Amino acid sequence: MASLKTIFKVLVLMFFISEVAYSQVTQQMPENVDKLTDKQLEALIKAAEKRGLSDAQIEAMAIANGYSTQDIAKVKERINRLNNKSTNDKTGVDKTRKSDDSNRKRETGGREQLGDVDVKDLSAESRPEIVNRKDSVAKRPVIFGSQLFNNKNLTFEPNLRLPTPKNYVLGPDDELRIDITGYAYQHYSTTVSPEGTIKIENLQPIYVNGNTIEQAKGKIVARLKTIFAGLRNGTLNVDVTLGDVRTIKITVVGEVQNPGTYSLSSLATAFNALYLSGGPTEKGSLRNIQIIRDNAVIKKIDVYNFLLKGTREDDMNLTDQDVILVPVVQNRVRITGQVNKEGIFELKENDNFKTLLEYAGGFTDKAYTATVNVTRNTQSEKKILTFDPQANPEFITQNGDQFLIGTILERFENKVAIRGAVMRPGEFALGGQLKTVRQLIEFAKGLREDAYPDRAILVRKKDNFDSEYQAINLRKLLNGEISDIELKREDQLLIKSISEIREDRLVYIEGAVNIPGFYEFAENMEVKDLILLAGGLSDGATSKRVEIARRLYNDESNDKTTEIINFSLGSVQENENLTKLKPFDKVFIRNLPNYDDQPTVQIVGEVNYPGSYAIENKSDRIVDIIDRAGGLRKESDITSAKLYRDNRLVFVDFEKALKNRNTPSNLFLENGDRIEIPKERQTVTIAGQVLNPTSVAYQPGFVFRDYIAQAGGFTDSAFVRKTYVIYSNGSTDRTRSFLGIKAYPKVKSGMTVMVPKRNRVRMTTAERIALSTGLVSLSAVLLTLIRLL
C-alpha cells in the first residue's frame, strides 16, 4: 500500500505543474484528479522523489491549494491499483519467459512454445508463482521427487524444432503451410477455423478437424488437383507442414502448488502442465496422477518411472479441456540410516520393504542387515517392529512407517595384528591355522634381524574394552622354553627393533670441515671416516690439533662428565685405537693459528685512493690504512671522520690518532670496518625549541649563544640546561650548569645544536592548596624556632 507521503508528493507536484524543472512531466496536466492518466501518475511519483519535502510540508501545501480529503483518497486508490498491477506482472506472467517464447517462435518456424497461465481463470491465491521450498526442505525429511517440478533447469518443454509429427491431430487455430513445387511454385498459409475447416483460394472449404497431417494432406491434394493440372500428371509436388500450433486450455486441480487453468501449446504433455503448476504439494501423490478427458480417467501417471528409470512412458500429449487431478497421497513411508537415498517414499498397494529398498538405492556398504527396526503408528500410540530383511524381504509396510537401517559395529570379529620388526607386519584373520602367537609370527614371515626378542607386548581388549599389556619373551617362546599363547580377536602383537629402544647413535663434527654437523655412528668408525663424511678438511685446517669430546658414564662420586682426547692426525699410525669413535662423540677440527680469510676494510671520502684494502696483519690500525690510501686530501675534515663497525658508529678521535699513533684512539682494524672521511662542513645547524630552526654559516668568531641568536633565540618551552650538540664525527656534548652559570659545548663547524622541549607539569588545584598549606606550616615552624632561639 502506498504511503501517505507518496500520495502527498503527487498532489504537491500537481500544484507546481508550472515549474520549469517539471515541465516535461506535467505538460498538459489536467486540473481534475479524475482526468489524471496512469502514465502521468507514474511519472509524477518518480519525479516526486527528487523534491525531498517533509510530510508536514506536503500536507500544508495540499490544504493551502484547496485539495480536499476526497482528492487525497482518490490518488491513494489509484496508486494502490498501480502497485497491485505491478505485483501481478511479476508473479502472474513471466515477461522474460514471454520474450524467450517469442524468440523460440521465430527459431522454430512460427510454432509457439509452452503457453502461460490463463490469469482470468485463476483466483489471486492460485496464480502461479516461483516456488522455492529450499528452507522447508532443509528443516524436514526430503520427500522423494518433490523437487522435480520446481527445478528451473528441467522444464519438460516439447522440442518444436522437430519435423511435423505424422500422427499430430489437427484442430482449430492450427496453422498449415502448403507448398506446391515443380515447374511452378505456390505457397499457402491457412489456419483451421473454429468449424474445423481450411480455405484455399476460391475452393470449397476442406474439413480437417480431427485428421492427422497425412489425412489432411490427402484431402488438400485432392482439392488442389482441380486447379493445378500438374498435380494430376505428377509434374508438381505438394508439401503440407504444420506452422504455428494451436493453444489448448488444461486445468490442473487437487494437491498442486498452483491449481488453475493453463494455456499451453497443443504439443504440450502432462509433465509440461505439472511443471507450470509447480508440481504436487507435500500432500499430493506422485504415483497416482490422473488424466481426465470427457469426464473419464483415461490414464494414470506414475512419476517414479521417470525418477527411477528415466523413461517418460507415462507422459502423454494433452488435448483441449483435459483435466489433471493430483489426489492426496495414500501410503507414504520413511527410510533413514545406511541406505544410499534417505527420504520419504510413496508406495503403491502391492509395494513392500523390498520395493522400498530399491527406491532408496539399496543398502550402503556399512549397513547392518541382520535386523531392521520399524516405528509404526497404532490407533493410540507408537510401536516398534523388528524383522530380518534377508529372511523376510517382502515385509508389508503401512502408511506412516519409519524404517531405520543401522550401522555395523566398528570392530572386527576375527582380526589380529602384528606390528614392528617382522618381515610382513599387518592384519591377519584369526582362525584355521592361525591361533597362537608363534603362528602369527610365522604368518608375518618371521622376525627381522634387528628385532629385540627379549620383550614383546601383546595388547588385548578386556571384557570392558579397556586395553591390557602382556609382556612376552619371544626368544624363549620361539625356542620352546615357555608355552605358546593363544590369541583372541583384536589382539595386537608389538615387536620393537633394537634401534627403536635406544637413543639415536650419532657423532658430531665441527670446525674446519666443509659440512659440519651430526652423522650416524657405525662400528669401527674412525675420525678420518667422519672427516670424509663431512666433506673433508676446509682450507686452513690443521691436522696437528684434533680434539674428541667423549661422554663418561661415572657414578656420583666423580664430578668429571666428559673425557677430552687431543691428538694429531699424523700420529694415528702410532696408535690406531686413538681415533676410533664411539657413539655421541664430538670431534673438533681447528684452524691454523694465523690463518684467516683475507679480511678487508673500506675507506671512502677525502683520501687520495679510496676503496677496499686487505688487512695485512692483526696489528694494522686506522692510521695505517689512511697511509695506504695515500693520505688525506686538502679539503678533508679529519675532525668529522667516522668509523663504522658492524653497521654501528664507533666514536674515534681521528685527529688525535693522526698526531699520536700510540694513542688508544688509533684502533686495531677488524674485518668489515668502514672509514668515512668527509669534506669540511662549513655550516652549523640549530634545531629544536628555537624560534627559527635553521642552518647558518660557521663563523670562527661566534660563540655558542651567537648561533642561538641566529635562530631567533630560545622559545618559552626550551629546556636550556639540557641543550646539547652532535658533532660531525658523531660525538656529542651537553650544556653544563653550576650555580646558575651555564657552560655551553665547544663550537665546531658541522655541528648540530639540539634544544629539547621542557615538559612542564601543571599542578591541580588540590596540589596547589596542599603545597601552600605545607609552606605555611613550614613558615610557622621556622618562626617558632626563631622565637625560641
Side-chain angles (χ1 to χ4, degrees):
M1 182 176 290
S3 66
L4 185 61
K5 182 175 180 178
T6 303
I7 298 170
F8 283 163
K9 284 181 178 179
V10 175
L11 295 175
V12 171
L13 283 174
M14 295 173 62
F15 307 154
F16 294 93
I17 60 175
S18 61
E19 291 184 16
V20 177
Y22 300 96
S23 60
Q24 295 180 355
V25 179
T26 59
Q27 281 182 349
Q28 299 179 353
M29 186 69 66
E31 296 180 357
N32 193 336
V33 173
D34 296 332
K35 296 181 180 180
L36 187 67
T37 65
D38 290 345
K39 186 175 181 180
Q40 291 171 327
L41 186 57
E42 290 175 350
L44 289 170
I45 292 174
K46 293 179 180 179
E49 301 298 332
K50 300 179 181 179
R51 297 196 59 83
L53 297 174
S54 65
D55 291 347
Q57 290 174 327
I58 294 172
E59 184 177 1
M61 294 176 66
I63 296 173
N65 283 271
Y67 279 83
S68 63
T69 56
Q70 289 79 5
D71 292 332
I72 296 176
K74 290 179 182 179
V75 175
K76 181 177 179 181
E77 182 181 358
R78 294 280 300 279
I79 293 176
N80 288 337
R81 188 160 60 247
L82 287 175
N83 290 338
N84 291 335
K85 179 180 179 182
S86 175
T87 303
N88 291 336
D89 287 343
K90 293 179 181 177
T91 59
V93 179
D94 192 340
K95 296 181 180 179
T96 303
R97 188 174 65 192
K98 278 189 174 182
S99 176
D100 292 341
D101 290 343
S102 300
N103 294 333
R104 295 194 198 102
K105 181 176 179 180
R106 290 192 296 269
E107 293 174 358
T108 55
R111 298 182 189 174
E112 289 185 359
Q113 191 54 277
L114 280 178
D116 294 312
V117 182
D118 190 350
V119 182
K120 296 180 181 179
D121 296 335
L122 295 177
S123 64
E125 291 79 6
S126 62
R127 289 174 184 167
E129 58 185 13
I130 298 175
V131 180
N132 185 2
R133 293 180 290 172
K134 189 177 294 184
D135 295 337
S136 61
V137 170
K139 297 178 182 179
R140 62 185 67 184
V142 177
I143 298 176
F144 181 69
S146 61
Q147 297 297 309
L148 177 64
F149 297 106
N150 296 325
N151 187 348
K152 64 180 181 180
N153 297 320
L154 186 66
T155 64
F156 300 103
E157 293 182 354
N159 187 357
L160 302 183
R161 307 182 75 172
L162 294 173
T164 302
K166 300 298 181 182
N167 59 347
Y168 180 78
V169 178
L170 296 172
D173 294 334
D174 279 338
E175 180 188 17
L176 289 177
R177 296 180 177 180
I178 305 167
D179 292 290
I180 301 175
T181 58
Y183 66 84
Y185 173 77
Q186 184 64 41
H187 172 75
Y188 299 102
S189 181
T190 180
T191 302
V192 180
S193 68
E195 290 75 21
T197 62
I198 60 173
K199 188 170 179 59
I200 303 174
E201 293 194 1
N202 295 325
L203 297 176
Q204 186 178 356
I206 305 172
Y207 187 80
V208 295
N209 185 45
N211 293 154
T212 64
I213 294 292
E214 287 297 315
Q215 293 170 342
K217 180 178 179 181
K219 293 181 179 181
I220 293 170
V221 171
R223 191 63 54 87
L224 290 175
K225 285 181 179 179
T226 59
I227 59 175
F228 290 97
L231 294 176
R232 294 192 295 271
N233 57 28
T235 58
L236 292 177
N237 297 316
V238 176
D239 289 325
V240 179
T241 58
L242 185 65
D244 193 7
V245 296
R246 68 184 182 275
T247 298
I248 60 176
K249 290 187 180 297
I250 305 299
T251 302
V252 185
V253 296
E255 292 297 328
V256 291
Q257 299 291 340
N258 300 289
T261 300
Y262 295 82
S263 297
L264 307 176
S265 163
S266 58
L267 294 176
T269 65
F271 277 18
N272 303 142
L274 289 171
Y275 174 79
L276 281 180
S277 67
T281 63
E282 293 184 358
K283 297 181 180 179
S285 172
L286 286 169
R287 311 200 62 188
N288 190 30
I289 301 174
Q290 301 173 14
I291 308 299
I292 302 173
R293 184 175 296 166
D294 298 329
N295 297 324
V297 178
I298 62 170
K299 191 175 184 64
K300 292 184 178 181
I301 297 176
D302 187 351
V303 180
Y304 275 29
N305 289 332
F306 176 74
L307 294 171
L308 298 173
K309 303 177 183 177
T311 62
R312 296 177 62 174
E313 57 186 21
D314 288 346
D315 199 7
M316 63 173 291
N317 289 93
L318 301 173
T319 61
D320 193 37
Q321 301 305 319
D322 277 354
V323 177
I324 300 178
L325 173 63
V326 180
V328 176
V329 65
Q330 297 298 319
N331 186 12
R332 192 179 271 170
V333 299
R334 178 184 178 186
I335 185 168
T336 57
Q338 293 300 321
V339 289
N340 289 308
K341 289 187 293 186
E342 294 182 298
I344 298 175
F345 296 86
E346 181 181 352
L347 301 182
K348 288 189 173 181
E349 182 178 356
N350 297 325
D351 288 345
N352 50 39
F353 176 76
K354 181 180 180 180
T355 311
L356 172 64
L357 190 61
E358 291 176 356
Y359 293 161
F363 294 118
T364 65
D365 56 350
K366 293 185 178 181
Y368 177 69
T369 59
T371 58
V372 173
N373 289 335
V374 187
T375 302
R376 177 167 292 176
N377 299 326
T378 65
Q379 293 181 350
S380 58
E381 55 189 1
K382 293 183 178 181
K383 69 177 180 178
I384 293 180
L385 303 176
T386 302
F387 70 96
D388 184 353
Q390 309 295 332
N392 187 16
E394 298 182 353
F395 178 83
I396 303 301
T397 65
Q398 290 186 11
N399 184 35
D401 281 354
Q402 297 186 31
F403 293 81
L404 175 62
I405 311 301
T407 307
I408 59 175
L409 299 176
E410 289 294 333
R411 64 178 184 177
F412 294 86
E413 61 182 20
N414 66 337
K415 183 187 78 171
V416 291
I418 184 169
R419 317 283 185 195
V422 291
M423 293 298 183
R424 299 188 65 84
E427 299 171 347
F428 299 91
L430 179 64
Q433 297 181 354
L434 176 55
K435 296 181 179 179
T436 65
V437 170
R438 177 193 291 270
Q439 293 170 343
L440 178 59
I441 296 175
E442 292 174 355
F443 267 75
K445 303 302 180 184
L447 299 177
R448 278 203 325 245
E449 292 81 355
D450 63 338
Y452 180 69
D454 293 337
R455 191 177 185 88
I457 298 175
L458 181 65
V459 183
R460 174 167 291 173
K461 296 289 185 183
K462 298 170 64 176
D463 293 340
N464 62 353
F465 292 103
D466 287 344
S467 297
E468 66 174 353
Y469 281 12
Q470 181 176 346
I472 304 174
N473 190 321
L474 294 182
R475 190 191 303 276
K476 293 182 178 181
L477 187 145
L478 295 177
N479 292 333
E481 299 178 18
I482 59 175
S483 301
D484 201 359
I485 300 174
E486 187 173 353
L487 295 172
K488 296 182 179 181
R489 74 171 190 177
E490 301 288 349
D491 278 355
Q492 292 190 56
L493 183 61
L494 304 180
I495 303 174
K496 292 292 185 179
S497 65
I498 294 176
S499 60
E500 288 179 306
I501 60 175
R502 69 184 180 190
E503 186 180 354
D504 290 341
R505 301 201 300 173
L506 303 174
V507 291
Y508 177 77
I509 186 171
E510 74 170 42
V513 291
N514 291 313
I515 312 174
F518 287 95
Y519 292 88
E520 187 176 355
F521 172 79
E523 294 295 335
N524 297 319
M525 190 176 193
E526 297 184 8
V527 171
K528 288 186 176 181
D529 299 326
L530 181 58
I531 292 173
L532 182 63
L533 292 175
L537 298 174
S538 61
D539 188 37
T542 177
S543 61
K544 295 182 180 180
R545 191 172 185 86
V546 179
E547 185 175 286
I548 299 176
R550 179 166 294 164
R551 291 183 182 180
L552 290 179
Y553 303 93
N554 298 324
D555 56 22
E556 297 180 357
S557 62
N558 194 336
D559 294 335
K560 189 176 181 180
T561 60
T562 303
E563 179 185 4
I564 304 298
I565 304 173
N566 289 298
F567 62 93
S568 171
L569 290 177
S571 63
V572 170
Q573 294 179 353
E574 301 174 2
N575 188 0
E576 294 183 357
N577 292 329
L578 187 65
T579 60
K580 287 287 182 76
L581 296 174
K582 292 184 178 181
F584 315 114
D585 278 356
K586 291 186 177 182
V587 179
F588 302 91
I589 309 297
R590 310 299 181 186
N591 281 315
L592 293 168
N594 293 322
Y595 177 84
D596 198 357
D597 293 339
Q598 297 90 329
T600 60
V601 296
Q602 190 178 28
I603 183 169
V604 296
E606 300 307 313
V607 291
N608 288 312
Y609 302 102
S612 296
Y613 290 84
I615 300 175
E616 186 175 0
N617 56 64
K618 295 183 179 180
S619 61
D620 281 353
R621 297 175 181 264
I622 293 175
V623 176
D624 298 326
I625 291 299
I626 294 176
D627 291 343
R628 290 172 59 187
L632 302 174
R633 292 180 181 176
K634 293 180 180 180
E635 60 272 20
S636 65
D637 182 7
I638 193 62
T639 60
S640 299
K642 298 178 182 178
L643 171 65
Y644 291 93
R645 178 167 292 172
D646 297 329
N647 295 323
R648 292 185 178 182
L649 178 64
V650 179
F651 170 65
V652 176
D653 191 339
F654 280 80
E655 187 176 12
K656 184 181 294 185
L658 287 173
K659 292 179 180 180
N660 184 5
R661 290 176 177 267
N662 296 323
T663 183
S665 296
N666 192 16
L667 300 178
F668 289 107
L669 294 174
E670 295 184 7
N671 185 37
D673 283 354
R674 176 183 173 87
I675 299 173
E676 296 181 359
I677 301 177
K679 288 183 179 180
E680 182 181 1
R681 292 180 58 186
Q682 298 179 340
T683 60
V684 173
T685 301
I686 305 97
Q689 297 302 311
V690 290
L691 294 176
N692 182 28
T694 185
S695 293
V696 298
Y698 172 71
Q699 301 293 335
F702 276 18
V703 295
F704 189 86
R705 297 285 299 192
D706 293 333
Y707 289 104
I708 298 295
Q710 291 287 318
F714 296 112
T715 64
D716 293 338
S717 58
F719 205 161
V720 178
R721 289 193 299 109
K722 297 295 183 179
T723 301
Y724 65 96
V725 297
I726 303 174
Y727 295 113
S728 56
N729 65 350
S731 62
T732 60
D733 194 6
R734 64 182 180 86
T735 301
R736 292 169 175 79
S737 180
F738 180 73
L739 297 178
I741 301 174
K742 297 180 179 63
Y744 293 103
K746 183 179 179 181
V747 174
K748 294 182 180 180
S749 64
M751 73 176 183
T752 300
V753 179
M754 300 297 298
V755 182
K757 182 179 180 180
R758 178 189 292 272
N759 294 322
R760 301 180 183 275
V761 179
R762 289 181 171 273
M763 291 188 296
T764 63
T765 303
E767 290 174 338
R768 293 194 191 98
I769 294 173
L771 180 61
S772 301
T773 304
L775 292 175
V776 171
S777 300
L778 180 61
S779 300
V781 171
L782 291 175
L783 289 174
T784 303
L785 290 174
I786 292 171
R787 289 173 183 173
L788 292 175
L789 294 176

